Structure formats: C-alpha cells, structure tokens
Amino acid sequence: MSEPTGKYSITMPRDIAEAARVRSGPSGLSAYVAAAVARQIERDNLNELIAVAEAEHGPIADEEIQALRDALHRARREQTRGEADVA
C-alpha cells in the first residue's frame, strides 16, 4: 500500500515546469516533482545534522572531507570490480 496523497496547487517558473514535464516520463509530472521535493527534504535534513555536529565538534576540515571522498571513491571502485568478478 502506498502513502496517501493530496492534491496541491504550486506555482513555478514556466521553463522549469516544462523541463520537468519533458523529463518526467511515464511516471508523470506529479511523481517527478514529489521525488525532487523528497530529495530536497533529505538535503535539508542532512544540512541540519551537519550544523548540529559542527556546533558540537567544530567545522570539518577540507582535508577530512577530501579523505572521506577518496575513501568513498575507492570503495565504489572495489564494489564495481567485485560485481564484475561475479558476472
């Protein structure tokens, strides 16, 4: 069973609405917009968590961020190689 839905009226620039309509595909504009809003809510929640963590522990250094990005890229490469070995 899916979540209950509601009907809303929103206003947005015409060019953005038309670009979204073109890209929405078979799921339709409503599903496309709902997914975009859900992603924005996730980002907002993450930004709030980061703000709380930085308030408690101080800002994250650029070097720490880069080290984590590098580790993520390595993990993705290893995962991709592992999937290729299985195939």
Side-chain angles (χ1 to χ4, degrees):
M1 183 177 355
S2 64
E3 291 288 321
T5 61
K7 189 169 183 162
Y8 303 91
S9 174
I10 62 169
T11 302
M12 70 174 77
R14 184 170 287 135
D15 60 335
I16 293 173
E18 288 306 314
R21 186 179 309 282
V22 167
R23 292 178 175 269
S24 64
S27 62
L29 183 59
S30 292
Y32 189 87
V33 171
V37 171
R39 282 191 304 274
Q40 185 61 48
I41 290 169
E42 288 174 357
R43 286 184 183 114
D44 293 345
N45 289 340
L46 286 171
N47 285 334
E48 289 171 8
L49 286 172
I50 290 168
V52 168
E54 286 185 335
E56 185 173 333
H57 302 287
I60 301 169
D62 290 340
E63 296 80 18
E64 293 174 288
I65 293 171
Q66 189 58 52
L68 291 170
R69 282 186 179 134
D70 293 344
L72 178 60
H73 290 301
R74 282 192 303 277
R76 285 181 176 159
R77 280 193 304 272
E78 290 171 11
Q79 181 181 18
T80 301
R81 278 196 296 261
E83 291 171 356
D85 293 341
V86 173

